[in-house]
Amino acid sequence: MEILKRLLGSKEKQRRETYEIQSSKGVLRLWLEEDLQRDPDTKVEEFWIETIGVSEDALWLLVGRRYGILQFYDWKGRFHRLPARPPAQVVSEILFKEGFLALLTPPYLVVYRMEDPNNPGMWKSFKLSQEGIRPSAGLDLKRGILAFGVVGNKVYTIDIANDLSLKTVEFKSVFSCSEVGEIKGIKILPSLKVFVSGTEGCAIYSMGGSLVKKLPYKPGRAISLLGSKLVLGEDNKVIVLDVNKEEELFKLDVPIRVSGLDGDEEGMFVFLADAEENSLGIVDLSSGQYLQTLKGFGYSVVKVSKDGSIYTSRVLDTKEGKLYQLIKLGSNLLDFIYPKERQEKLIKQAEKLYKDFVSSVEKAKSLSQLDGLKGLKELYSLDIPLRRIRELVLQGEELLKKRRLELFLDDIQQKLKRGEVSKKELKEVEDWLNNAEEKEEIEILTKLKDQINTSLKRMLADGLERLRQSFLEREGSSVEELESYQEVKDFRDLLSKLPKELQLEGERLLEKAIQERIISYRLKRFRIENLRDKVLFGNEEFPKFDGQKRKLLWRLKTEDKLFINGKVFTKVVFEREDGVVLEPKRYSNLVPIEDLRSMPKWIKSYLRHLNGLFSYEPYRVPLFVSFEETPWFVQNLERFVSLIKDQLSFGEGILILEGDAGVGKNFLVEVFSALTNRPLYIIPCHSKMEKEDLTYTYEFDPKRGTKRVFSELVKALQTPGAVIYIDEINTLPPSLVKLFNPLFDYRRYLTLPTGEVIKARSDVILVGGMNPQHYLGVSELPQDIKSRADVMFVDYPPFEDQRGFFYPDEAIILKDYLSSLSDINSEDFTYLWYAVVNGVETEKGMELKTPKREQQIWLIFELLKIANAIRKAYRDYQSQKSEEPVEFVFSIRDTIRCARRLERYGSAKAVVIDTILPKVSSPLEREIIRNIVESV
């Protein structure tokens, strides 16, 4: 508190005191200004001030402290941040000149092009850092030529007037200054000669580096070029040189040790900073007299601004250590430079410009109209930085800012009403808010920002609702399909207009909406509906078979001849088309052959009776099949039915199901047969099959001898509504394949070895099944069968899509083997699966979610992840993408077998190792599969 009192007390005392110094030009007045804003970093005053720079228009003040600390102020003393702060520990020189700001921050040289002098945010910077060149001290600029000193006592000059990119630095000149020792200061003279000051003296060089004149002074950094005078400070002396004649005008002893000096641009007064004490010396250059020493400030550095302000420093000893305060002095320097009449005339002109500017601002109806106003620029252009003019400029800036804010707010409100705001408008409001200083302005902008955020959130919600409604009217069961919709593209276009946070939220909601759509669509789209006379398989319907029986004719057959009492008798029996034989019960079956020339009445009656009562083949009732109605299974059935309908419609072809063992090819046919009430005939094939296995064979009957028996295939071809499944059709020997050619094309018949033709009924369905070609004992399906067939590939249920979402299809098959999941139907389980595994938290899914169910779903998930990893390894090996021999096929039967034991084991890995590995015979393959299991 004592330190604070000292500081405040000192300021209060000096603020009230005005210094009046009598000079040859009149009374010079100085006073302590109080408008310098304190740096937000309270510790900054612990670091001494190295250098001070003031812009040529007196708008900006830049202070460089120890360790590269920079303080940036405007002419009113308000604190700002310099864009692209240079990465340095030292700031040795600051130079505002010719529209550039140059900083010497060893080992870098940083140059800013002041594109808009009033807007530092627009200043573009370039950093020179070239191997072998280490800028150190000394910096000046004249006519676009920048000169600076480097380590090694050299001066480099660069032409920066045309190009500041300096991607490849080309130096205008480089020369050594060994005569002056270590370089401390540089000034470019009006003649474009270079004055260099160093530790051992100073000298004047041509721009090319030729020594023009060596001078016997050691001013260090205490150099200032004021008009035609070059003023140097050396210890307790001030030397004034004529730069045109390059001669000394006079030398003056002063009562302070000079470390820095500067003066007004007319060269009337020079202000001296003391190297050790808080003392500011004043020299009247016009008379060559030392005027006065002011105590309390003036330590180390001093800089005179074009508006008459004088910036210096003072050091204070405190209990905590030394503090180095920045001091601003006001003065009447401008009164010495500009006559009162001219100042009054300029002020009157400025007030007129300001009045016109105010009128133009008030009339402006849009931001573009404000941007086109020139009044403020005209005020800026007045070349005398009088305080009244500066105040008018400041008032104009505040008025323009206020009006810009009013128009901006109105524009945003209109866009809000029209629902046209986007992240662009939000960013604009945030930029305004970041630059706002007044409480009321901050409150208005904060409220507007909240309104925009609310509007953007509403836009997101409305867009999502439109998207969901569009999903209801469109097909699509995969992410790829949904992503291709124009509505999804429109929603993504909407997201591009939102800020990043809402974009991320929108992407999450879009992903959730797509997944919810996939859930509901797959459950609704791929369903089986069993009606009275037909079955709906997804979008395909198929009629139920009405149970029509095949009619078989009876005929009279004679067997054996016998001689009784001189007559020839024969044994008569009744035989049906399918080989069934009956003997007459009420009559003797021994009939004289002569009586058969005209068929007895009782035989005609018997045949009529048999054809009426026993002429139908027994109906083969399809077996009941239990199955899980998963979308994947129904989708396969829908495709199956579509191809079967083509076969029946065109009366030709065969549908061949291809897929790995255990994917459910046979099951697909069995379910179709059971649901449509059609008799199913399964014809198993193998490589040792012969023609007789497919046509007929002969059997011996002890009573009647050898007789012909038709094969299941022949019987099936003549059975109404039969589904004939030729299993593993590609294992047939080539000699039998030709037998099927007429059966699978438009002819639809099978030729027996006897030449007899068996015509397939028009309602008979032909289906084949085969494993992929790489299976043992399997040969490639001949081209003549391929050309007659439709081939449908049956794969395992889908598990993971490209986005990392996991399908529940195979899990639905397995859920019945776990206690907490077995009582949930397929639809509810699907929502529960998506909630647990995919994070799609639908209302139904979250209602069903319990810790036990969640734990058991993860068990199923782990099992399926292992199964699919092994399936992938198997396919990679078969397709030669991998050299690791995996030939074990992890079928759905295997996942079911493992699922039965999951609850008991409590670990999918343990179940697979105990259940699957014993089936693998190869030690190498067994180890590979074990590694796959352990790594999942």
Side-chain angles (χ1 to χ4, degrees), residues 282-387:
I282 305 171
V283 174
D284 184 343
L285 282 183
S286 301
S287 63
Q289 295 180 336
Y290 184 82
L291 298 179
Q292 192 171 336
T293 300
L294 304 180
K295 297 292 185 179
F297 44 80
Y299 175 76
S300 182
V301 292
V302 64
K303 192 69 178 178
V304 178
S305 173
K306 191 177 180 180
D307 66 359
S309 299
I310 301 165
Y311 298 96
T312 183
S313 170
R314 70 176 166 203
V315 60
L316 296 175
D317 290 311
T318 68
K319 293 180 180 179
E320 288 77 14
K322 290 183 181 294
L323 296 180
Y324 302 89
Q325 290 184 329
L326 178 66
I327 299 297
K328 178 181 179 181
L329 296 172
S331 77
N332 65 336
L333 277 174
L334 293 182
D335 293 341
F336 291 92
I337 301 173
Y338 305 106
K340 283 288 185 183
E341 296 80 11
R342 187 180 176 189
Q343 290 187 37
E344 290 173 356
K345 184 178 179 180
L346 277 174
I347 290 173
K348 187 175 181 180
Q349 181 184 354
E351 289 175 341
K352 172 71 168 58
L353 287 172
Y354 177 74
K355 183 178 179 181
D356 294 341
F357 175 71
V358 170
S359 176
S360 299
V361 169
E362 291 174 347
K363 291 177 181 178
K365 301 299 181 184
S366 67
L367 291 173
S368 59
Q369 289 180 356
L370 283 182
D371 293 336
L373 297 180
K374 298 179 180 179
L376 201 59
K377 293 180 181 178
E378 292 174 345
L379 279 171
Y380 280 130
S381 67
L382 297 178
D383 57 354
I384 300 180
L386 297 173
R387 188 173 186 88

Side-chain angles (χ1 to χ4, degrees), residues 643-656 717 724 726 729 740-749 760-768 784-791:
L643 295 172
I644 288 300
K645 287 168 72 174
D646 282 349
Q647 182 186 136
L648 294 176
S649 183
F650 296 104
E652 63 176 13
I654 180 174
L655 172 59
I656 296 178
L717 290 173
I724 302 173
I726 306 173
I729 191 172
F740 286 112
N741 285 351
L743 181 61
F744 295 160
D745 62 22
Y746 66 93
R747 291 170 286 182
R748 298 281 281 183
Y749 64 70
R761 288 178 57 91
S762 61
D763 56 359
V764 166
I765 296 171
L766 296 173
V767 183
D784 47 0
I785 289 186
K786 281 184 181 179
S787 66
R788 291 166 167 80
D790 281 313
V791 178

Side-chain angles (χ1 to χ4, degrees), residues 667-722:
F667 191 66
L668 196 68
V669 180
E670 290 171 5
V671 171
F672 170 77
S673 170
L675 290 175
T676 58
N677 203 33
R678 288 175 169 265
L680 174 62
Y681 290 83
I682 298 179
I683 314 298
C685 299
H686 52 83
S687 60
K688 303 297 183 181
M689 219 168 191
E690 297 180 357
K691 186 178 293 185
E692 289 76 10
D693 297 321
L694 297 174
T695 56
Y696 61 83
T697 59
Y698 289 97
E699 292 182 0
F700 178 75
D701 188 331
K703 292 183 179 181
R704 297 179 177 81
T706 302
K707 63 176 182 178
R708 188 173 64 173
V709 179
F710 287 115
S711 67
E712 282 284 285
L713 176 59
V714 173
K715 293 177 183 178
L717 290 173
Q718 301 174 79
T719 301

Side-chain angles (χ1 to χ4, degrees), residues 820-875:
S820 69
L821 304 174
S822 59
D823 60 339
I824 305 176
N825 62 38
S826 298
E827 180 176 334
D828 288 349
F829 178 81
T830 299
Y831 283 103
L832 178 60
W833 171 275
Y834 269 85
V836 173
V837 175
N838 295 322
V840 182
E841 298 179 346
T842 58
E843 184 176 346
K844 183 179 289 188
M846 297 308 291
E847 285 177 2
L848 294 166
K849 189 175 177 182
T850 65
K852 181 68 173 177
R853 286 174 175 167
E854 188 173 1
Q855 183 260 338
Q856 292 194 346
I857 280 181
W858 283 119
L859 279 177
I860 294 177
F861 175 80
E862 185 182 12
L863 170 61
L864 292 178
K865 200 166 186 182
I866 293 170
N868 280 276
I870 295 173
R871 290 167 184 168
K872 182 180 183 302
Y874 163 77
R875 288 182 177 168

Side-chain angles (χ1 to χ4, degrees), residues 483-691:
E483 287 281 7
S484 68
Y485 292 169
Q486 185 60 45
E487 292 84 355
V488 174
K489 294 177 182 178
D490 292 342
F491 186 78
R492 289 200 182 280
D493 183 58
L494 169 64
L495 291 184
S496 68
K497 300 175 183 177
L498 303 179
K500 186 175 181 179
E501 298 77 12
L502 283 182
Q503 280 187 20
L504 295 174
E505 175 67 9
E507 285 288 352
R508 186 187 69 79
L509 293 173
L510 173 61
E511 194 72 62
K512 181 180 178 183
I514 287 175
Q515 291 300 328
E516 286 179 345
R517 171 58 179 161
I518 289 173
I519 298 172
S520 61
Y521 178 80
R522 292 182 84 230
L523 288 172
K524 181 180 178 181
R525 167 71 174 76
F526 299 111
R527 295 182 69 96
I528 296 175
E529 192 171 354
N530 201 341
L531 303 177
R532 185 179 61 83
D533 58 345
K534 62 184 177 181
V535 183
L536 298 179
F537 299 93
N539 284 346
E540 293 288 348
E541 67 174 51
F542 202 86
K544 285 186 178 180
F545 183 59
D546 59 7
Q548 177 187 354
K549 300 177 183 178
R550 173 188 172 196
K551 189 169 183 178
L552 302 171
L553 295 178
W554 290 83
R555 63 185 177 89
L556 182 67
K557 183 179 180 182
T558 61
E559 298 177 349
D560 303 331
K561 292 181 180 181
L562 299 173
F563 291 91
I564 303 173
N565 298 327
K567 286 186 176 185
V568 181
F569 284 80
T570 184
K571 185 184 294 186
V572 296
V573 295
F574 299 97
E575 184 181 40
R576 202 166 63 179
E577 280 186 79
D578 60 352
V580 175
V581 176
L582 289 177
E583 294 182 2
K585 301 295 185 182
R586 294 170 56 190
Y587 302 92
S588 173
N589 65 339
L590 291 176
V591 179
I593 289 180
E594 289 183 2
D595 292 351
L596 294 179
R597 292 175 183 173
S598 175
M599 192 175 292
K601 185 177 180 181
W602 72 268
I603 290 179
K604 291 180 180 179
S605 176
Y606 222 104
L607 281 172
R608 188 167 56 250
H609 177 75
L610 289 174
N611 281 323
L613 296 178
F614 305 106
S615 62
Y616 292 94
E617 181 182 31
Y619 177 63
R620 180 181 295 202
V621 179
L623 296 175
F624 173 77
V625 181
S626 174
F627 65 95
E628 287 289 351
E629 192 178 316
T630 71
W632 162 79
F633 186 65
V634 177
Q635 192 171 7
N636 280 335
L637 274 172
E638 181 184 82
R639 175 68 174 152
F640 177 89
V641 169
S642 174
L643 295 172
I644 288 300
K645 287 168 72 174
D646 282 349
Q647 182 186 136
L648 294 176
S649 183
F650 296 104
E652 63 176 13
I654 180 174
L655 172 59
I656 296 178
L657 305 178
E658 180 182 358
D660 288 321
V663 295
K665 300 187 295 293
N666 296 32
F667 191 66
L668 196 68
V669 180
E670 290 171 5
V671 171
F672 170 77
S673 170
L675 290 175
T676 58
N677 203 33
R678 288 175 169 265
L680 174 62
Y681 290 83
I682 298 179
I683 314 298
C685 299
H686 52 83
S687 60
K688 303 297 183 181
M689 219 168 191
E690 297 180 357
K691 186 178 293 185

Side-chain angles (χ1 to χ4, degrees), residues 773-786:
Q773 186 180 337
H774 55 260
Y775 274 59
L776 186 64
V778 169
S779 57
E780 185 176 359
L781 199 65
Q783 184 59 39
D784 47 0
I785 289 186
K786 281 184 181 179

